[in-house]
Coordinates of all heavy atoms in Angstrom, one line a residue:
F1177 N -28.9 50.4 21.9 CA -29.0 48.9 21.8 C -27.6 48.3 21.3 O -27.4 47.1 21.6 CB -30.1 48.6 20.9 CG -31.4 48.8 21.5 CD1 -32.2 49.8 20.9 CD2 -31.8 48.2 22.7 CE1 -33.5 50.1 21.4 CE2 -33.1 48.4 23.2 CZ -33.9 49.4 22.6
G1178 N -26.8 49.1 20.7 CA -25.5 48.6 20.2 C -24.5 48.1 21.4 O -24.1 47.0 21.4
P1179 N -24.4 49.0 22.3 CA -23.5 48.6 23.5 C -24.1 47.4 24.3 O -23.5 46.6 24.9 CB -23.4 49.8 24.3 CG -23.6 50.9 23.4 CD -24.6 50.4 22.4
L1180 N -25.5 47.5 24.3 CA -26.1 46.3 25.1 C -25.9 45.0 24.4 O -25.7 44.0 25.0 CB -27.7 46.6 25.2 CG -28.1 47.7 26.2 CD1 -29.6 47.9 26.0 CD2 -27.8 47.2 27.6
A1181 N -26.0 45.0 23.0 CA -25.6 43.8 22.3 C -24.3 43.3 22.5 O -24.1 42.1 22.6 CB -26.0 44.1 20.8
I1182 N -23.3 44.2 22.5 CA -22.0 43.8 22.6 C -21.7 43.2 24.0 O -21.0 42.2 24.2 CB -21.1 45.0 22.3 CG1 -21.2 45.4 20.8 CG2 -19.6 44.7 22.7 CD1 -20.5 46.8 20.5
A1183 N -22.4 43.9 25.0 CA -22.2 43.4 26.4 C -22.8 42.1 26.6 O -22.2 41.1 27.2 CB -22.8 44.4 27.3
R1184 N -23.9 41.8 26.0 CA -24.6 40.5 26.2 C -23.7 39.4 25.4 O -23.9 38.3 25.9 CB -26.0 40.5 25.6 CG -27.0 41.3 26.5 CD -27.1 40.5 27.8 NE -28.0 41.2 28.7 CZ -28.6 40.7 29.7 NH1 -28.5 39.5 30.0 NH2 -29.3 41.6 30.5
S1185 N -23.2 39.8 24.3 CA -22.4 38.9 23.5 C -21.2 38.4 24.4 O -20.9 37.2 24.4 CB -21.9 39.5 22.3 OG -21.1 38.7 21.5
K1186 N -20.6 39.4 25.0 CA -19.5 39.1 25.9 C -19.8 38.2 27.1 O -19.1 37.3 27.5 CB -18.7 40.3 26.4 CG -18.0 41.1 25.4 CD -17.4 42.3 26.0 CE -16.6 43.1 24.8 NZ -16.0 44.3 25.4
K1187 N -21.1 38.5 27.6 CA -21.6 37.7 28.7 C -21.8 36.3 28.3 O -21.6 35.3 29.0 CB -22.9 38.4 29.2 CG -23.5 37.7 30.4 CD -22.9 38.3 31.6 CE -23.6 37.8 32.9 NZ -23.2 38.4 34.1
A1188 N -22.4 36.1 27.1 CA -22.7 34.7 26.6 C -21.4 34.0 26.3 O -21.2 32.8 26.6 CB -23.5 34.9 25.2
E1189 N -20.4 34.7 25.9 CA -19.1 34.1 25.7 C -18.4 33.7 27.0 O -17.6 32.7 27.0 CB -18.1 34.9 24.8 CG -18.6 35.0 23.4 CD -17.9 36.0 22.6 OE1 -17.0 36.7 23.1 OE2 -18.2 36.0 21.3
S1190 N -18.7 34.4 28.0 CA -18.1 34.0 29.4 C -18.8 32.7 29.9 O -18.3 32.1 30.7 CB -18.4 35.2 30.3 OG -19.8 35.3 30.8
F1191 N -20.0 32.4 29.4 CA -20.7 31.1 29.7 C -20.3 30.1 28.7 O -20.8 29.0 28.8 CB -22.2 31.3 29.7 CG -22.7 32.0 30.9 CD1 -23.0 33.3 31.0 CD2 -23.1 31.2 31.9 CE1 -23.5 33.9 32.1 CE2 -23.6 31.7 33.1 CZ -23.8 33.2 33.2
G1192 N -19.4 30.4 27.8 CA -19.0 29.3 26.8 C -19.9 29.2 25.5 O -19.7 28.2 24.9
V1193 N -20.6 30.1 25.3 CA -21.5 30.0 24.1 C -21.1 31.3 23.1 O -21.1 32.4 23.6 CB -23.0 30.3 24.5 CG1 -23.9 30.3 23.4 CG2 -23.5 29.2 25.5
A1194 N -20.8 30.9 22.0 CA -20.3 31.9 21.0 C -21.6 32.7 20.6 O -22.6 32.2 20.3 CB -19.7 31.2 19.8
A1195 N -21.4 34.0 20.4 CA -22.4 34.8 20.1 C -21.9 36.0 19.2 O -22.0 37.2 19.4 CB -23.1 35.5 21.3
P1196 N -21.3 35.6 18.0 CA -20.7 36.6 17.2 C -21.8 37.5 16.5 O -21.5 38.7 16.1 CB -19.9 35.8 16.2 CG -20.6 34.5 16.1 CD -21.1 34.3 17.5
E1197 N -23.0 37.0 16.2 CA -24.1 37.7 15.6 C -24.4 38.9 16.4 O -24.5 40.1 15.8 CB -25.4 36.9 15.4 CG -25.1 35.5 14.8 CD -24.8 34.5 15.8 OE1 -25.0 34.6 17.0 OE2 -24.4 33.3 15.4
G1198 N -24.6 38.7 17.7 CA -24.9 40.0 18.5 C -23.8 41.0 18.5 O -24.1 42.2 18.4
R1199 N -22.6 40.6 18.5 CA -21.4 41.6 18.6 C -21.4 42.4 17.2 O -21.3 43.6 17.2 CB -20.2 40.8 18.8 CG -19.0 41.7 18.9 CD -17.7 41.2 19.3 NE -17.9 40.9 20.8 CZ -17.2 40.1 21.5 NH1 -16.3 39.4 21.0 NH2 -17.4 40.0 22.8
V1200 N -21.6 41.5 16.1 CA -21.5 42.2 14.8 C -22.6 43.1 14.6 O -22.4 44.3 14.1 CB -21.4 41.1 13.7 CG1 -21.5 41.8 12.4 CG2 -20.0 40.3 13.7
L1201 N -23.9 42.7 14.9 CA -25.0 43.5 14.7 C -24.9 44.8 15.6 O -25.3 45.8 15.2 CB -26.3 42.7 15.0 CG -26.6 41.7 14.0 CD1 -27.8 40.9 14.5 CD2 -27.0 42.3 12.7
G1202 N -24.4 44.6 16.9 CA -24.3 45.8 17.8 C -23.3 46.8 17.1 O -23.6 48.0 17.1
W1203 N -22.1 46.4 16.6 CA -21.2 47.2 16.0 C -21.8 47.9 14.7 O -21.5 49.1 14.5 CB -19.9 46.6 15.7 CG -19.0 46.5 16.9 CD1 -18.7 45.4 17.5 CD2 -18.4 47.5 17.6 NE1 -17.9 45.6 18.6 CE2 -17.7 47.0 18.7 CE3 -18.3 48.9 17.5 CZ2 -17.0 47.8 19.6 CZ3 -17.7 49.6 18.4 CH2 -17.0 49.1 19.5
V1204 N -22.5 47.2 13.9 CA -23.1 47.8 12.7 C -24.2 48.8 13.2 O -24.3 50.0 12.5 CB -23.8 46.6 11.9 CG1 -24.7 47.2 10.8 CG2 -22.7 45.8 11.3
G1205 N -24.9 48.5 14.3 CA -25.9 49.5 14.7 C -25.2 50.8 15.2 O -25.7 51.9 14.9
I1206 N -24.1 50.6 15.9 CA -23.4 51.8 16.3 C -22.9 52.6 15.1 O -23.0 53.9 15.1 CB -22.3 51.4 17.3 CG1 -22.8 50.9 18.6 CG2 -21.4 52.5 17.6 CD1 -21.8 50.3 19.6
G1207 N -22.3 51.9 14.1 CA -21.9 52.5 13.0 C -22.9 53.3 12.3 O -22.7 54.4 11.8
L1208 N -24.0 52.7 12.1 CA -25.1 53.4 11.4 C -25.6 54.6 12.2 O -25.9 55.6 11.5 CB -26.3 52.4 11.2 CG -26.1 51.3 10.1 CD1 -27.2 50.3 10.1 CD2 -25.9 51.9 8.8
F1209 N -25.6 54.4 13.5 CA -26.0 55.7 14.2 C -25.0 56.7 14.1 O -25.5 57.9 13.9 CB -26.2 55.2 15.7 CG -26.5 56.3 16.6 CD1 -27.9 56.8 16.7 CD2 -25.6 57.1 17.4 CE1 -28.2 57.8 17.5 CE2 -26.0 58.1 18.2 CZ -27.3 58.5 18.2
V1210 N -23.8 56.5 14.2 CA -22.7 57.5 14.1 C -22.8 58.2 12.6 O -22.7 59.4 12.5 CB -21.3 57.0 14.2 CG1 -20.2 58.0 13.9 CG2 -21.2 56.6 15.7
M1211 N -23.0 57.3 11.6 CA -23.1 57.9 10.2 C -24.4 58.8 10.1 O -24.4 59.8 9.4 CB -23.2 56.7 9.2 CG -21.9 56.1 8.9 SD -21.8 54.7 7.8 CE -23.1 55.1 6.6
G1212 N -25.5 58.3 10.7 CA -26.7 59.2 10.8 C -26.5 60.5 11.4 O -27.1 61.6 10.9
V1213 N -25.8 60.5 12.5 CA -25.6 61.8 13.3 C -24.6 62.6 12.4 O -24.9 63.9 12.2 CB -24.9 61.5 14.6 CG1 -24.3 62.8 15.2 CG2 -25.8 60.9 15.6
L1214 N -23.6 62.2 11.8 CA -22.7 62.9 10.8 C -23.5 63.4 9.7 O -23.3 64.6 9.2 CB -21.5 62.0 10.4 CG -20.5 61.7 11.4 CD1 -19.4 60.8 10.9 CD2 -20.0 62.9 12.1
F1215 N -24.4 62.6 9.1 CA -25.2 63.1 7.9 C -26.1 64.2 8.4 O -26.2 65.2 7.7 CB -26.0 62.0 7.4 CG -27.0 62.4 6.3 CD1 -26.5 62.6 5.0 CD2 -28.3 62.5 6.6 CE1 -27.3 63.0 4.1 CE2 -29.2 63.0 5.5 CZ -28.7 63.1 4.2
F1216 N -26.8 64.1 9.6 CA -27.6 65.2 10.2 C -26.8 66.5 10.3 O -27.2 67.5 10.0 CB -28.2 64.7 11.4 CG -29.2 65.8 12.1 CD1 -30.4 66.1 11.5 CD2 -28.7 66.5 13.2 CE1 -31.2 67.0 12.1 CE2 -29.5 67.5 13.7 CZ -30.7 67.7 13.2
I1217 N -25.6 66.3 10.8 CA -24.8 67.6 11.1 C -24.4 68.2 9.7 O -24.5 69.5 9.6 CB -23.5 67.3 11.9 CG1 -23.9 66.9 13.4 CG2 -22.5 68.4 11.9 CD1 -22.8 66.4 14.2
A1218 N -24.0 67.4 8.8 CA -23.7 67.9 7.5 C -24.8 68.6 6.8 O -24.8 69.6 6.1 CB -23.1 66.8 6.6
Y1219 N -26.1 68.0 7.0 CA -27.3 68.6 6.4 C -27.6 69.9 7.1 O -27.9 70.9 6.3 CB -28.4 67.6 6.6 CG -29.7 67.9 6.0 CD1 -29.9 68.0 4.6 CD2 -30.8 68.3 6.7 CE1 -31.0 68.4 4.0 CE2 -32.0 68.8 6.1 CZ -32.1 68.8 4.8 OH -33.3 69.2 4.3
M1220 N -27.5 70.0 8.4 CA -27.7 71.3 9.0 C -26.7 72.4 8.6 O -27.2 73.5 8.3 CB -27.7 71.1 10.5 CG -28.9 70.3 11.1 SD -30.3 71.4 10.9 CE -31.4 70.2 10.1
V1221 N -25.4 72.0 8.4 CA -24.5 73.0 8.0 C -24.8 73.4 6.5 O -24.7 74.6 6.2 CB -23.1 72.3 8.0 CG1 -22.0 73.1 7.2 CG2 -22.6 72.1 9.5
L1222 N -25.2 72.5 5.6 CA -25.6 72.9 4.3 C -26.9 73.8 4.3 O -26.9 74.8 3.6 CB -25.9 71.6 3.6 CG -26.3 71.8 2.1 CD1 -25.1 72.3 1.3 CD2 -26.9 70.6 1.5
I1223 N -27.8 73.5 5.1 CA -29.1 74.4 5.2 C -28.7 75.7 5.7 O -29.1 76.7 5.1 CB -30.1 73.7 6.1 CG1 -30.6 72.5 5.4 CG2 -31.3 74.7 6.4 CD1 -31.3 72.7 4.1
F1224 N -27.9 75.8 6.8 CA -27.5 77.2 7.4 C -26.6 77.9 6.4 O -26.7 79.2 6.3 CB -26.9 77.0 8.7 CG -27.9 76.6 9.8 CD1 -27.6 75.6 10.7 CD2 -29.1 77.3 9.9 CE1 -28.5 75.2 11.7 CE2 -30.0 76.9 11.0 CZ -29.7 75.9 11.8
T1225 N -25.8 77.2 5.7 CA -25.0 77.9 4.7 C -25.9 78.4 3.6 O -25.7 79.6 3.1 CB -24.0 76.9 4.1 OG1 -23.2 76.5 5.1 CG2 -23.0 77.7 3.1
F1226 N -26.8 77.7 3.2 CA -27.7 78.1 2.1 C -28.6 79.3 2.5 O -28.8 80.3 1.8 CB -28.6 77.0 1.5 CG -29.6 77.4 0.5 CD1 -29.2 77.6 -0.7 CD2 -30.9 77.5 0.8 CE1 -30.2 78.0 -1.8 CE2 -31.9 77.8 -0.1 CZ -31.5 78.0 -1.4
I1227 N -29.0 79.3 3.8 CA -29.8 80.4 4.2 C -29.0 81.6 4.4 O -29.5 82.7 4.1 CB -30.5 80.0 5.6 CG1 -31.6 78.9 5.4 CG2 -31.1 81.2 6.4 CD1 -32.2 78.4 6.6
G1228 N -27.7 81.4 4.9 CA -26.9 82.6 5.0 C -26.5 83.3 3.7 O -26.1 84.5 3.7
S1229 N -26.5 82.5 2.6 CA -26.2 83.1 1.2 C -27.3 83.7 0.5 O -27.1 84.4 -0.5 CB -25.6 82.0 0.4 OG -26.6 81.1 0.1
L1230 N -28.6 83.6 1.0 CA -29.7 84.4 0.5 C -29.6 85.8 0.6 O -29.1 86.3 1.6 CB -31.0 83.9 1.2 CG -31.4 82.4 0.9 CD1 -32.6 82.1 1.7 CD2 -31.6 82.1 -0.6
P1231 N -30.0 86.6 -0.4 CA -30.0 88.0 -0.3 C -31.0 88.5 0.6 O -32.1 87.8 0.9 CB -30.4 88.5 -1.7 CG -31.0 87.3 -2.4 CD -30.6 86.1 -1.8
D1232 N -30.7 89.6 1.2 CA -31.7 90.3 2.2 C -32.6 91.1 1.5 O -32.6 92.3 1.5 CB -30.8 91.1 3.3 CG -30.0 90.2 4.0 OD1 -30.3 89.1 4.2 OD2 -28.9 90.7 4.4
S1233 N -33.7 90.5 0.8 CA -34.6 91.2 0.1 C -35.8 91.7 0.9 O -36.6 92.5 0.5 CB -35.1 90.5 -1.1 OG -35.8 89.2 -0.6

Side-chain angles (χ1 to χ4, degrees):
F1177 292 112
L1180 285 174
I1182 294 168
R1184 286 295 175 160
S1185 174
K1186 288 180 183 178
K1187 186 86 168 182
E1189 289 172 357
S1190 73
F1191 280 93
V1193 177
E1197 308 89 13
R1199 180 170 290 162
V1200 170
L1201 290 172
W1203 280 112
V1204 169
I1206 290 171
L1208 288 174
F1209 179 78
V1210 168
M1211 285 176 35
V1213 168
L1214 292 175
F1215 177 76
F1216 179 75
I1217 290 170
Y1219 183 71
M1220 286 294 128
V1221 167
L1222 181 69
I1223 292 296
F1224 288 130
T1225 302
F1226 179 71
I1227 290 172
S1229 68
L1230 291 176
D1232 294 331
S1233 60

